[in-house]
Amino acid sequence: QVQLVESGGGLVQAGGSLRLACAASGGTFSNYAMAWFRQAPGKEREFVAAIGRSSSSYKYYADSVKGRFTISRDNAKNTLYLQMNSLKPEDTAVCTCAAVDGGTVYRAPDMYHYWGQGTQVTVSS
C-alpha cells in the first residue's frame, strides 16, 4: 500500500509559479497511475492533471490549467510533480495527489485508491 506526502505549496502572487511534489513510499511507485486534484473552499474536489505509470505516458489536464500546469513523474525518485505557472487567484485550493493501481488514468476522484494529505496553494491578486 502506497503512502503519499505532498510538499511545495505556499503563498504566491498572481502570475507566479509553484512546483508541487508528491513523495511516495511503501509501494512500487511505477505500478500506479497518478493524478493531482484540488479543492477550493466551498467547492467540490476537481481534477487537475494525471499521468500514467511512466514518465513518458500521455498526460491529461483540466481545461482550466492546460498550458499553465505540467504534470511529471520521476520513478527513480518515487516522486510526482506539478509545475504550476501563470497562477491565478482562482487556482487557490488545497492540492492533493492520488494514486490508482495499474496504468489507466481517470478524471473521477472516486477511482483513486490512495491519497495524500494535501498542500495549500494560495494565489494573491
Side-chain angles (χ1 to χ4, degrees):
Q1 182 170 336
V2 66
Q3 291 84 46
L4 305 172
V5 178
E6 301 93 340
S7 62
L11 173 64
V12 64
Q13 289 189 331
S17 299
L18 283 174
R19 189 193 195 201
L20 305 184
C22 170
S25 62
T28 302
F29 185 59
S30 59
N31 285 349
Y32 301 94
M34 301 294 298
W36 288 98
F37 290 84
R38 66 185 181 184
Q39 187 167 19
K43 295 188 177 181
E44 292 188 353
R45 177 177 283 169
E46 68 170 352
F47 170 80
V48 176
I51 186 171
R53 292 186 295 177
S54 165
S55 59
S56 60
S57 298
Y58 192 81
K59 303 168 180 64
Y60 301 83
Y61 296 96
D63 288 344
S64 59
V65 306
K66 201 173 294 183
R68 299 188 298 123
F69 291 10
T70 302
I71 189 171
S72 62
R73 66 187 297 162
D74 185 337
N75 287 350
K77 295 183 178 179
N78 293 337
T79 304
L80 175 74
Y81 301 99
L82 185 67
Q83 178 66 44
M84 304 185 297
N85 299 329
S86 302
L87 282 161
K88 305 174 181 180
E90 51 264 44
D91 292 319
T92 294
V94 175
C95 294
T96 308
C97 62
V100 59
D101 297 282
T104 304
V105 300
Y106 304 94
R107 293 177 180 262
D110 290 349
M111 301 304 292
Y112 288 83
H113 304 144
Y114 309 104
W115 293 83
Q117 83 288 349
T119 186
Q120 177 70 48
V121 171
T122 303
V123 185
S124 63
S125 57

